Amino acid sequence: MKVQTTASPAEFYAAAGEWLEREPARNNVLLVHALDPNGVPPGQGDPVFSWVTDGSGAVVGAAFARMPYRMPLTEMSDDAARALAEHLVTVLPDLEGVAGAASSAKVFAARWAELTGKTAHSERDQWLMICTETTRPDDASGGPRMSTPDDLDTVAEWFMAGMRDSGLPPDQIAQRARQLAGGQIAGGRQIVWEDANGTPVGAAGWGLNFAGVIRPAGVFVSPDHRAGGYATLLLGEVTARALENGADACVCTHFLKYESMLAVVEKVGYRRLADFTEYRFE
């Protein structure tokens, strides 16, 4: 196995993009990092895009790292995951953690622990979920409007609250939340839901279309309005808009610790596609 790295999203996509697009739903996060103008989050040092090739030169795995985030990686063979760890330990010895396909993340984390002497703590088990059709409810309370720059401060604060369990320091959460919210607003890819009285109760956005797949991002309902079913309305609305505007599918990540959210995503029409997990290195 051979591992190659670059700080260039364009170089990474040229090397691994065709392989990633064979499974665009499972690999959506890596495609976002490579192709979205806002796909490289603010962080420390240069980003590190990695791809693994076998003896014939074919791509068999990929990953993206930017300190201090946990590194997303694709599904890959055990040998490829171990080779990736063995290479990256020389490039990113202070890597905070890894996230992705459960089996590959487990092998990578185990090898990383062997190489560094650190402990790999399993955290935040997830389901990657996919939706190919949905319907809007007839009895929705209130309705959506497009977000404007005047909404940025409020929505960024909401998104910060939604990232509280990410393991990132508060200043990094604030930077990432504002980047995400600002990019969505500038791109016309974010809505605010207002109740029947015109009060903003939540917001949601969606990403760009990569190989037919769009990811809703930043779905958040104000704590004062959690009982109104607005999470379902927000996720359903952005999913419907994505599918109506050319997406073959939408994907989202469901964190298993938030049991109440499973009913929300299933009601919209999402179903389990793959098991993901995260490991924190300490």
Side-chain angles (χ1 to χ4, degrees):
M1 296 289 176
K2 180 180 180 181
V3 179
Q4 299 177 74
T5 63
T6 180
S8 166
E11 183 181 352
F12 171 70
Y13 180 73
E18 181 181 353
W19 181 82
L20 291 169
E21 289 176 347
R22 295 175 191 172
E23 293 281 357
R26 294 174 185 268
N27 296 331
N28 176 259
V29 167
L30 270 294
L31 288 167
V32 168
H33 286 311
L35 296 174
D36 191 324
N38 287 315
V40 176
Q44 304 160 7
D46 290 331
V48 178
F49 292 90
S50 308
W51 63 101
V52 186
T53 54
D54 63 14
S56 69
V59 176
V60 294
F64 166 80
R66 183 82 188 270
M67 296 291 291
Y69 300 91
R70 296 172 188 175
M71 181 185 75
L73 83 174
T74 65
E75 187 172 1
M76 62 186 76
S77 71
D78 291 356
D79 286 345
R82 283 189 284 265
L84 181 63
E86 290 161 5
H87 181 86
L88 289 182
V89 76
T90 67
V91 179
L92 288 169
D94 296 323
L95 185 67
E96 298 279 348
V98 65
S103 59
S104 300
K106 181 178 180 179
V107 172
F108 180 96
R111 185 59 180 142
W112 192 268
E114 291 173 354
L115 293 166
T116 63
K118 294 183 178 181
T119 300
H121 300 277
S122 178
E123 296 185 340
R124 302 211 306 173
D125 288 339
Q126 307 149 35
W127 287 350
L128 178 66
M129 304 190 74
I130 188 168
C131 179
T132 55
E133 58 181 353
T134 189
T135 57
R136 292 180 174 87
D138 296 326
D139 56 349
S141 175
R145 64 167 174 80
M146 296 303 299
S147 298
T148 72
D150 291 339
D151 296 308
L152 177 57
D153 289 343
T154 297
V155 174
E157 185 174 342
W158 284 345
F159 285 7
M160 284 174 58
M163 297 171 67
R164 64 187 181 277
D165 293 333
S166 65
L168 295 171
D171 61 331
Q172 208 71 44
I173 290 176
Q175 289 183 46
R176 179 56 176 154
R178 196 165 188 88
Q179 182 200 37
L180 177 63
Q184 289 176 352
I185 292 172
R189 294 180 283 105
Q190 188 187 94
I191 59 170
V192 169
W193 197 281
E194 296 180 339
D195 67 13
N197 298 316
T199 301
V201 298
W206 60 98
L208 298 172
N209 187 331
F210 297 121
V213 177
I214 290 178
R215 178 180 291 268
V219 178
F220 189 83
V221 178
S222 170
D224 295 337
H225 298 88
R226 294 280 169 84
Y230 293 113
T232 303
L233 293 172
L234 280 162
L235 179 60
E237 181 64 27
V238 296
T239 300
R241 292 187 184 207
L243 294 174
E244 289 166 357
N245 285 281
D248 299 319
C250 289
V251 292
C252 72
T253 302
H254 167 61
F255 295 93
L256 299 188
K257 68 179 290 186
Y258 302 127
E259 296 180 7
S260 62
M261 280 302 296
L262 181 58
V264 170
V265 294
E266 288 183 335
K267 187 173 183 179
V268 171
Y270 285 83
R271 56 181 174 80
R272 180 181 181 182
L273 177 64
D275 293 347
F276 279 22
T277 195
E278 294 185 17
Y279 288 87
R280 172 174 53 88
F281 302 143
E282 188 176 62

